[in-house]
Amino acid sequence: MKSPICEMFDIEFPLVAFSHCRDVVAAVSKAGGMGVLGAVGHTPEMLEQDLKWIDEHIDGKPYGVDILVPTTFEGKGSSVSSEDLINMIPQEYRDFRADVLKQHDVDGESLRNSSDSKKIEMDSDSRFGKNLKEEGAKKLLEVAFSHPIKLIANALGVPPHWMLEMGKENNVKVAALLGAKEHAIKQVQAGVDVLVVSGTEGGGHCGSVSTMVLIPEVKRAIKDLGDVPILAAGGIATGEQMAGIMTMGADGVWCASVFLPTTEAETSENIKEKMIQATSSQTVRSKSRTGKHSRQLQSAWTDAWESKDAPEPLPMPLQTIVGEPALAIVSKQATLGHEGAKKLDTYWVGQGIGLVNETISAGQTVQKFKEEFIEAYERITGLIE
């Protein structure tokens, strides 16, 4: 296809797939799109292992890596340690998460007791907390740049100057996710190579403006600032949507949720089943997962945090430290068939999941996008004729 994204990365079809699963990354790239590995939860050693595997299984096709260096978070720019952050968490939050699990017959008492819970929280924050900071992020990037990656993406905020410079030094394009017109202008002025413009429909961290409004709004806002290609994200799960959003100014799409129920994906069978059955209205946008607005699958856990009795979510990364240990227990118990845990189980996902009603491979998903895109194109050209 004649798209700046295809030319930039030497790919056949301008579909970029974000995934925490290396198998999905390789499958999408081999199918003609480009996979991007989400690495915020990796240690440098884990990332090296996954990227080596991808190199050996991707047939020389291009791929990228996504990290998360937020513009702001609690303790940024200071010497605050994981222990310091954990000591900022009021006991009320530990009691609340333990009570939610108890209401569904899941044993979470280790998350209530102060000494036990702090050790669990320390383990939980050891990777995520380090990777948010410059030192941890740089270590991940050093690993990434030792492999033949073609793209590095920052998932939250304007990439720091050092990240942009590392991209230039290694001849790797730098992308950044954003959810508002004003953010797009800042990204372009900072020197970002690709804008990933994500509407509120998207899974994970998201803004409040819909994709259909945001793409043309951003396109107009940056037209005099330089020719920076746009990847549209947020709720896009079909080739028809891809064709439509590209007529509005996007040069391709960035998708994640549509790949979560695929056969290769890292998601559990319980989550895949929930996603296949979910409608577009069965997701919730809330600060309860990370302290910043993010969209995830509605469950008994998300309902509890949206109730009037729930404490107000803490800032990032404190809320993450509160939630992730509990959700790890839930996920493990749900995999073992515990009914209460299965009701609590949740995962980041966008509203586009309501358009996904089957479990197929990642490669088949890309092929389906191509076929639907062509059908949509023919429909439009037929109208003109």
Side-chain angles (χ1 to χ4, degrees), residues 64-138:
V65 172
D66 178 284
I67 63 171
L68 197 160
V69 187
T71 305
T72 59
F73 62 87
E74 193 72 18
K76 183 170 183 175
S78 68
S79 58
V80 174
S81 67
S82 291
E83 186 174 2
D84 293 331
L85 290 171
I86 288 165
N87 288 332
M88 295 179 190
I89 298 172
Q91 182 61 32
E92 171 192 4
Y93 289 78
R94 298 187 174 97
D95 290 339
F96 182 79
R97 68 183 176 188
D99 288 342
V100 172
L101 267 59
K102 185 177 181 179
Q103 289 162 12
H104 292 83
D105 298 320
V106 177
D107 183 7
E109 288 308 300
S110 61
L111 301 178
R112 189 191 306 274
N113 178 276
S114 180
S115 58
D116 290 342
S117 66
K118 286 183 179 181
K119 182 179 184 305
I120 295 169
E121 290 160 2
M122 185 74 73
D123 291 340
S124 175
D125 185 56
S126 60
R127 282 206 307 261
F128 182 77
K130 288 178 182 177
N131 291 346
L132 291 183
K133 297 179 180 179
E134 181 175 328
E135 182 182 358
K138 279 186 175 179

Side-chain angles (χ1 to χ4, degrees), residues 181-236:
K181 175 186 71 174
E182 295 77 15
H183 298 163
I185 294 170
K186 291 179 180 179
Q187 302 281 22
V188 173
Q189 291 173 337
V192 166
D193 299 299
V194 180
L195 297 177
V196 182
V197 181
S198 182
T200 190
E201 301 95 324
H205 291 110
C206 59
S208 59
V209 183
S210 74
T211 306
M212 178 171 275
V213 172
L214 192 58
I215 295 300
E217 187 178 34
V218 168
K219 185 71 174 179
R220 286 169 169 79
I222 67 168
K223 67 178 181 179
D224 297 325
L225 300 178
D227 194 18
V228 181
I230 293 172
L231 285 171
I236 300 169

Side-chain angles (χ1 to χ4, degrees), residues 2 72 115 123 203 205 208 214 238 242 297 319 355 367 375:
K2 293 181 180 179
T72 59
S115 58
D123 291 340
H205 291 110
S208 59
L214 192 58
T238 71
M242 180 178 179
L297 193 65
Q319 189 64 27
L355 294 167
Q367 184 60 30
E375 289 174 5

Side-chain angles (χ1 to χ4, degrees), residues 259-281:
F259 291 99
L260 291 174
T262 59
T263 53
E264 301 97 330
E266 77 283 3
T267 43
S268 68
E269 290 306 311
N270 181 54
I271 289 296
K272 286 179 181 176
E273 184 179 341
K274 279 189 168 189
M275 288 184 177
I276 292 299
Q277 295 176 352
T279 66
S280 58
S281 62

Side-chain angles (χ1 to χ4, degrees), residues 1 13-14 238-240 242-244 246 368-378:
M1 286 178 61
F13 191 60
T238 71
E240 296 102 323
M242 180 178 179
M246 288 182 70
K368 188 176 179 183
F369 259 82
K370 294 177 184 178
E371 293 168 358
E372 292 169 345
F373 186 98
I374 291 170
E375 289 174 5
Y377 170 79
E378 290 175 344

